[in-house]
Amino acid sequence: MAQSVTQDSTLAFGRLLVDDLISNINQTDNSTVTITPRFNTTGKTELKIGVLLPFSQKNDNLTAQIVWGGSSAIRMAVNDINKRQIIPGAYITLVEKDSFPDSSLNQMAVTNAVYASVTLLQQGVIGVIGDISSSWTSLSALMTSTLEIPQCSFTANAIAFSDKSQYKYFFRTIPTQVIIADIMLNFAAKQGWKKLGVIYTDDALGQQFYQRSLIQASTMNLHISLYQAFPASGTVDDMHTALKNITTGGARIIMVAATSTPQTELMIQAQQLGLINKDYVWLLMGDTTDDLKKQVNKFNNNTNNDVIQYPSDFRGVFLFDNWLSLDGYPPFESFLDQWSLLNPQAYPYAGHRNISSFEGLAYSCMMIMAEGFGQLISKSINETEKLQKLSAGELGDEMLPSAFNVGYVGPEGPMVYDTNGDLTTGNYLVYNIQHDLKTIVGKSTGGELDMIAAPIFFDGTSMPPLDSPPSKPLNPDITSPISHAILAISSAGILFSIVCFFIVLLNRKHEVIKASSPLFCCLELIGFILTYIAVIMMIDIPTSTGCYVTPITFTLGFLLVLSNMIAKNYRIYRIFNNIFITRNVITDTHLIQTVVAIVGVEMIILIVGLVITKPIPTKFDVSFSTHYWSCESQNPNSTVFMVLNTLYAAGLLVFATFLAYKTRFAGRQYSRYSECKQMGLSVYNILFSALVGFSVVVNPLADFYTKYYIDVIAILWATTFSLLILFLPKIQAFYRSRRKEKDKMDESQTSSKRKSLFPFHTGTMTSSQRPISLHDGTGELLSLEQILASENVFDHTRRRKTSATSLTPQAGNSNFIEVHEMQHIMVFPWLGYFSHFSKYAKKGTVISYSQASIFSAKLEDYVLKIHGQGWYDLYIQVPNLSAMNTWQNCFNQTRPDYLDFRRKPDASTIVNENPREEDVVPHPLFETSLLQLGDDLSEERVSESSDKTH
């Protein structure tokens, strides 16, 4: 209940104010009123706070409510501050100054307002509250910032005050209009919209609103798809251009950032263009319904065309304005309890349990200033000295807005400031125009929006319209021509792979298939099939399951193709670069171990990454009418796993390329390794395709079509080329071999035993006694084992053993000075020298030697050392102990005494007329043995049937 009027009255700015028994009110001149507390202030320091408001303005009732209601709230705050001793050792005295001392609204009024600010500051105030309008507040704020006096406003919300280069000591309790962007975005999120457009005036307000919208939208998973500026004082054509640009760009939910006049004019033009309909939603800044109605009436009065029907034509428009009466909020309710107890004759517009305008913000302005002063003094080492400096206005930079960011929570909610002295949150109401009625559908406090009623849109329903026109996915579906092409190529590749798989499986013992290792072929074909399947799974919009299956399938296929070629090429590389490699056959066990090791590491990384990052189909908007879907993860660790997978795959590809390069000539020298060329071409092709695909994927400028089609083409090209280059020659050779006559193939495979190297009868020799040919059926020179293991000397087998040679200095150790390689050797044991040369070399090397000895007889490490008589020794590696003995005996042969023509034959050396077979001397033509370090024509071991035959 309001107190009864029994006290004496005082005239202040022409208004009669009764005595409140708490303070003394004294008007010192026509434009100044001083309010001091009545309690004993002995020993306390006086702190003067100036209140700069247009007290004498009488033409606008709303302005009068703001001025007198605000001043009453400030006085109530001062009573609380002095009573509670918020500022230790001090009390507050208010100096109210009229900033509008006459009724004129011309330049003289502005001059008087400046004069009022100057005279107020001359009275020793240490803080200022005011003014009411942003334009007049800017005049006083410039002066207070120059004099390092803090100033707080509870009504000036212009964005210009955020410029601390001019308004360094200014802060306010009213949120800036820019923060309305936050509540608009919150409202959009509540309706399920993701894309919005912003149309704004090309001034400080509009630009900062747009920039804040961009920042806040990104934190809320929203997207400002379009933005368009128009001049604040622009023409109708300017507005039409801006409206057409933003709507034709696909924006359907449009935020408008403009002050009242340009905003209402813009909405009139939007209605004329037919843009206020069921497809569009307009979000306006501030409660401009009254101004909008006036603008509609003005337009209707000046047009001969169809008039605008405000109730129906602007239905579904939303307006966002400050919320001052926070009913139900505890601090606000406490404020109302205290406010209602005041005498309205002493405190104009008080005495009721409601507020008329900005009373809560005015009260908070005074309380925040006092809280800042109090904390500054209480935290100082010498409170008395600090208080004296404060009263004298000598604290300087200690009075910046940051000093008042004290975490105060008042009737208008938390007052949290940024570095510019602006509130970070505000309180707002969401209005919805429904059938000519302005209905509150939402309330926001401290940044949290609460929808209290269902919004009604233009079509009269509560169903939110789409935030953009219907969008078409760019991902090719199963009916598109590109999908048909992908399916055709992939299906043909899979069919060819399956046919090759069964050919290999059913003919795995055939010479052509066996030479290439059936297991190698099968694993390669499975890898090709999986890669084709992965490409097919890239068609259409990805599913949650596909986000896991597709990368696993593709990676497994890629690794099976590459790891098999690495295993095979690495074995060949070692054979050609290590003379102590005796096993030149790539066994199935070795191949499986290598493949499992290579594939296992990558699959572990991939699967663990998928489990942790959990990729899901994610929509990415390209334009208002197009989008695409891709498997993306929101987990920040996804980049780590992606990098690991990429580095591992790149490392494998580089290593495979290195092996392909190092073994590129193996097939040219040895026919059994002719597949090296095909594998090399396949690896080079995969490397080229990978580089093309990777360069497109990491290119930030590449669009979806470029990335998708280049990647698919690169994968299909690499897979198809590798499949054909590896298996077409095999299939061709296989069917060519089958076309040969079986009897001729059998005769070639089971040819008769090699002829004896030496004749054992004088006179005419039979066919079996003729010297053996030094060439086999393939035209290659025979190896040492083939010659010495002839029918009349040693058991001869068709399988030719492999050996390696290397030269070392005599005085040195086994550190080789030349890269070892497969070579031919011609031995002249009776003459004490031999020659070694490559198959395709035009010149050889002749080395004299003294003897041959066993260098190593370890298992699978049988090495024979030839002791040279010059600078070098020669090492020969052979497959087994028997071969090593054969080679040693050959090199260590000596000329029999009876063949030494310098001696006379004795009785023991005279040849009988009927000589025995063991006494027959070799023909001089064959006094030398021809040896070859050949290569096997297949990877088979010596068959048991061959051993039995020979």
Side-chain angles (χ1 to χ4, degrees):
M1 296 291 296
Q3 298 176 1
S4 59
V5 181
T6 59
Q7 297 86 0
D8 296 335
S9 300
T10 302
L11 193 66
F13 302 115
R15 180 182 287 269
L16 191 64
L17 301 178
V18 301
D19 191 355
D20 63 352
L21 304 180
I22 299 175
S23 56
N24 294 317
I25 301 176
N26 181 27
Q27 182 165 355
T28 58
D29 55 47
N30 292 334
S31 62
T32 306
V33 172
T34 303
I35 303 176
T36 57
R38 282 190 175 182
F39 63 84
N40 186 6
T41 58
T42 304
K44 296 182 181 298
T45 302
E46 181 185 36
L47 301 177
K48 294 182 179 180
I49 303 297
V51 179
L52 188 63
L53 295 172
F55 289 99
S56 61
Q57 194 279 138
K58 299 180 177 61
N59 297 328
D60 188 351
N61 291 332
L62 177 60
T63 302
Q65 290 179 2
I66 296 174
V67 170
W68 289 102
S71 63
S72 296
I74 293 172
R75 290 172 55 196
M76 186 178 78
V78 170
N79 294 340
D80 289 344
I81 294 168
N82 290 334
K83 181 179 179 181
R84 292 161 50 192
Q85 286 293 292
I86 293 178
I87 307 175
Y91 67 93
I92 297 293
T93 294
L94 289 179
V95 180
E96 295 182 340
K97 193 71 175 179
D98 187 6
S99 62
F100 193 74
D102 56 51
S103 59
S104 63
L105 295 174
N106 52 22
Q107 183 62 36
M108 183 60 68
V110 176
T111 303
N112 291 334
V114 173
Y115 175 76
S117 300
V118 172
T119 55
L120 174 64
L121 297 176
Q122 288 176 345
Q123 297 187 37
V125 296
I126 64 169
V128 175
I129 299 177
D131 202 336
I132 186 172
S133 69
S134 295
S135 57
W136 287 353
T137 301
S138 64
L139 299 176
S140 59
L142 286 173
M143 287 184 282
T144 54
S145 294
T146 302
L147 298 175
E148 299 180 341
I149 298 175
Q151 180 173 347
C152 177
S153 175
F154 57 91
T155 56
N157 60 358
I159 198 64
F161 292 113
S162 300
D163 183 4
K164 293 297 107 175
S165 64
Q166 298 186 65
Y167 309 102
K168 187 176 180 180
Y169 290 83
F170 181 85
F171 67 99
R172 46 192 163 184
T173 56
I174 185 172
T176 63
Q177 293 172 294
V178 171
I179 301 182
I180 294 179
D182 298 358
I183 187 62
M184 287 184 178
L185 294 172
N186 277 329
F187 177 75
K190 292 279 187 180
Q191 306 307 314
W193 297 321
K194 295 294 183 181
K195 294 184 292 186
L196 300 94
V198 179
I199 185 169
Y200 58 95
T201 50
D202 193 11
D203 53 17
L205 171 62
Q207 292 171 0
Q208 293 199 27
F209 181 94
Y210 151 66
Q211 293 171 2
R212 185 177 182 89
S213 299
L214 287 179
I215 296 173
Q216 294 300 109
S218 61
T219 64
M220 301 171 64
N221 197 26
L222 301 177
H223 178 57
I224 303 299
S225 57
L226 291 168
Y227 50 91
Q228 180 65 50
F230 70 97
S233 58
T235 63
V236 172
D237 291 337
D238 294 332
M239 295 182 185
H240 282 187
T241 300
L243 290 169
K244 290 178 180 178
N245 287 342
I246 196 168
T247 53
T248 55
R252 293 295 180 266
I253 314 301
I254 303 174
M255 303 163 61
V256 181
T259 54
S260 178
T261 301
Q263 180 172 263
T264 53
E265 292 176 352
L266 181 74
M267 293 307 295
I268 294 295
Q269 299 307 318
Q271 193 278 334
Q272 289 296 293
L273 293 175
L275 298 177
I276 303 180
N277 55 46
K278 63 182 181 61
D279 295 327
Y280 293 90
V281 177
W282 295 86
L283 310 180
L284 307 185
M285 175 186 290
D287 181 8
T288 58
T289 51
D290 293 339
D291 293 335
L292 185 58
K293 290 179 180 179
K294 293 178 181 178
Q295 196 71 25
V296 168
N297 293 333
K298 179 180 178 181
F299 177 84
N300 290 338
N301 294 332
N302 296 327
T303 183
N304 296 323
N305 300 324
D306 295 337
V307 297
I308 298 175
Q309 302 294 332
Y310 176 83
S312 59
D313 290 341
F314 289 94
R315 180 175 54 193
V317 173
F318 294 88
L319 308 100
F320 299 80
D321 199 13
N322 290 313
W323 180 25
L324 301 176
S325 299
L326 277 65
D327 298 324
Y329 183 60
F332 182 75
E333 294 294 334
S334 298
F335 171 80
L336 288 183
D337 292 340
Q338 188 177 357
W339 180 255
S340 63
L341 297 177
L342 297 177
N343 185 351
Q345 296 181 359
Y347 296 88
Y349 297 98
H352 307 281
R353 195 170 173 75
N354 56 58
I355 58 176
S356 59
S357 57
F358 297 89
E359 289 87 345
L361 296 177
Y363 177 87
S364 298
C365 222
M366 186 66 252
M367 292 299 295
I368 289 174
M369 192 172 286
E371 292 280 359
F373 293 154
Q375 288 195 15
L376 193 63
I377 293 173
S378 61
K379 291 181 180 180
S380 65
I381 299 176
N382 190 332
E383 294 186 3
T384 302
E385 181 182 359
K386 182 69 71 174
L387 184 58
Q388 289 177 353
K389 289 185 177 181
L390 175 62
S391 63
E394 298 176 353
L395 293 182
D397 286 347
E398 294 185 71
M399 293 288 97
L400 292 174
S402 57
F404 305 100
N405 193 14
V406 294
Y408 172 75
V409 179
E412 299 295 335
M415 297 290 168
V416 181
Y417 291 97
D418 59 16
T419 56
N420 294 325
D422 296 331
L423 291 174
T424 58
T425 61
N427 308 313
Y428 297 96
L429 292 176
V430 182
Y431 297 103
N432 183 200
I433 299 179
Q434 303 176 2
H435 307 290
D436 198 23
L437 299 176
K438 184 180 65 176
T439 304
I440 299 175
V441 295
K443 296 180 178 181
S444 174
T445 304
E448 297 294 330
L449 175 62
D450 181 25
M451 299 300 296
I452 61 175
I456 301 298
F457 299 96
F458 186 87
D459 60 0
T461 68
S462 297
M463 180 64 66
L466 297 177
D467 57 6
S468 62
S471 182
K472 179 181 179 182
L474 298 179
N475 304 73
D477 57 15
I478 199 65
T479 61
S480 64
I482 187 63
S483 297
H484 294 166
I486 294 174
L487 284 172
I489 297 174
S490 300
S491 300
I494 293 174
L495 180 61
F496 181 75
S497 300
I498 293 174
V499 171
C500 292
F501 184 87
F502 280 106
I503 291 176
V504 171
L505 192 63
L506 297 177
N507 300 275
R508 58 188 177 277
K509 294 186 178 180
H510 190 276
E511 180 181 358
V512 175
I513 302 300
K514 199 168 185 180
S516 298
S517 176
L519 181 61
F520 169 81
C521 296
C522 291
L523 292 178
E524 288 280 340
L525 290 169
I526 292 174
F528 289 130
I529 292 174
L530 291 176
T531 306
Y532 281 122
I533 292 175
V535 175
I536 294 176
M537 296 179 68
M538 295 179 184
I539 298 175
D540 214 341
I541 297 175
T543 62
S544 298
T545 304
C547 289
Y548 290 86
V549 177
T550 301
I552 292 176
T553 304
F554 173 75
T555 304
L556 183 58
F558 168 77
L559 292 176
L560 284 176
V561 172
L562 196 61
S563 61
N564 279 277
M565 289 191 284
I566 288 176
K568 198 162 187 177
N569 273 339
Y570 181 67
R571 187 64 178 173
I572 297 172
Y573 169 75
R574 291 194 63 194
I575 291 172
F576 277 78
N577 290 271
N578 188 350
I579 68 167
F580 297 107
I581 293 294
T582 58
R583 180 180 300 168
N584 60 359
V585 178
I586 302 176
T587 63
D588 290 348
T589 302
H590 174 77
L591 186 63
I592 291 177
Q593 289 175 348
T594 304
V595 172
V596 169
I598 294 176
V599 174
V601 173
E602 173 69 359
M603 295 307 295
I604 289 174
I605 298 175
L606 177 63
I607 293 175
V608 171
L610 291 174
V611 171
I612 293 178
T613 59
K614 296 180 175 60
I616 58 173
T618 306
K619 182 181 178 182
F620 294 90
D621 293 315
V622 177
S623 67
F624 69 91
S625 59
T626 59
H627 67 275
Y628 68 90
W629 291 85
S630 178
C631 292
E632 297 291 335
S633 172
Q634 303 300 323
N635 193 310
N637 296 322
S638 59
T639 304
V640 176
F641 288 100
M642 182 179 66
V643 171
L644 288 177
N645 288 327
T646 302
L647 290 178
Y648 186 82
L652 290 179
L653 195 52
V654 170
F655 184 57
T657 305
F658 167 77
L659 294 176
Y661 177 78
K662 297 296 287 185
T663 60
R664 64 192 185 280
F665 297 131
R668 183 184 303 175
Q669 296 179 1
Y670 305 103
S671 58
R672 63 174 295 185
Y673 301 132
S674 60
E675 197 176 21
C676 289
K677 181 178 180 181
Q678 302 164 14
M679 290 191 294
L681 291 175
S682 177
V683 170
Y684 298 151
N685 176 70
I686 293 174
L687 175 64
F688 170 76
S689 301
L691 290 176
V692 172
F694 181 76
S695 62
V696 173
V697 169
V698 299
N699 184 6
L701 300 179
D703 56 17
F704 171 78
Y705 277 134
T706 302
K707 292 182 178 181
Y708 179 84
Y709 291 124
I710 293 297
D711 287 348
V712 169
I713 291 173
I715 295 173
L716 287 178
W717 167 255
T719 306
T720 305
F721 181 88
S722 299
L723 174 64
L724 296 179
I725 199 68
L726 287 176
F727 285 94
L728 272 183
K730 291 184 180 64
I731 300 302
Q732 183 182 13
F734 170 72
Y735 281 103
R736 183 185 301 163
S737 175
R738 293 194 61 172
R739 286 196 301 267
K740 292 182 179 180
E741 296 180 357
K742 184 173 180 54
D743 55 343
K744 185 177 180 180
M745 181 181 61
D746 293 339
E747 181 181 356
S748 175
Q749 291 180 349
T750 58
S751 60
S752 60
K753 298 179 180 179
R754 300 293 185 183
K755 305 304 179 179
S756 174
L757 182 62
F758 306 108
F760 291 96
H761 300 280
T762 58
T764 305
M765 293 181 292
T766 64
S767 62
S768 63
Q769 294 171 331
R770 293 173 183 163
I772 64 171
S773 171
L774 300 182
H775 294 75
D776 63 4
T778 63
E780 297 184 6
L781 293 174
L782 297 179
S783 65
L784 174 64
E785 292 88 339
Q786 291 173 309
I787 298 173
L788 298 181
S790 62
E791 181 178 358
N792 295 320
V793 183
F794 300 100
D795 288 338
H796 172 62
T797 63
R798 290 180 56 82
R799 179 176 175 84
R800 294 172 291 138
K801 307 299 180 180
T802 62
S803 301
T805 63
S806 180
L807 297 176
T808 64
Q810 282 186 343
N813 50 28
S814 59
N815 295 325
F816 305 124
I817 65 174
E818 292 185 8
V819 177
H820 44 270
E821 60 176 329
M822 308 300 289
Q823 291 189 343
H824 298 292
I825 295 179
M826 293 188 67
V827 183
F828 302 87
W830 294 353
L831 301 179
Y833 71 89
F834 67 94
S835 67
H836 62 89
F837 53 92
S838 298
K839 179 178 179 181
Y840 295 99
K842 296 182 179 180
K843 292 191 298 183
T845 302
V846 178
I847 301 175
S848 62
Y849 71 96
S850 59
Q851 63 172 338
S853 63
I854 296 176
F855 178 78
S856 173
K858 298 179 181 179
L859 182 62
E860 296 190 352
D861 193 12
Y862 302 102
V863 180
L864 191 66
K865 179 178 180 180
I866 312 301
H867 298 267
Q869 294 184 2
W871 290 96
Y872 301 102
D873 295 333
L874 183 75
Y875 291 83
I876 299 178
Q877 185 177 10
V878 293
N880 50 52
L881 183 62
S882 174
M884 186 168 64
N885 291 331
T886 301
W887 280 87
Q888 185 181 20
N889 293 335
C890 176
F891 274 95
N892 291 336
Q893 289 184 55
T894 59
R895 182 189 296 272
D897 291 340
Y898 55 80
L899 291 180
D900 191 344
F901 298 102
R902 294 172 298 179
R903 293 185 177 183
K904 293 182 179 180
D906 54 16
S908 62
T909 61
I910 298 176
V911 181
N912 298 327
E913 294 181 1
N914 298 313
R916 294 177 297 172
E917 186 174 271
E918 59 270 20
D919 294 334
V920 176
V921 253
H923 191 280
L925 179 61
F926 303 102
E927 290 182 354
T928 62
S929 300
L930 180 62
L931 306 178
Q932 176 195 4
L933 296 175
D935 56 339
D936 293 338
L937 291 176
S938 68
E939 296 180 354
E940 307 179 45
R941 297 182 181 276
V942 178
S943 63
E944 296 180 0
S945 60
S946 297
D947 293 338
K948 293 178 181 180
T949 303
H950 303 292

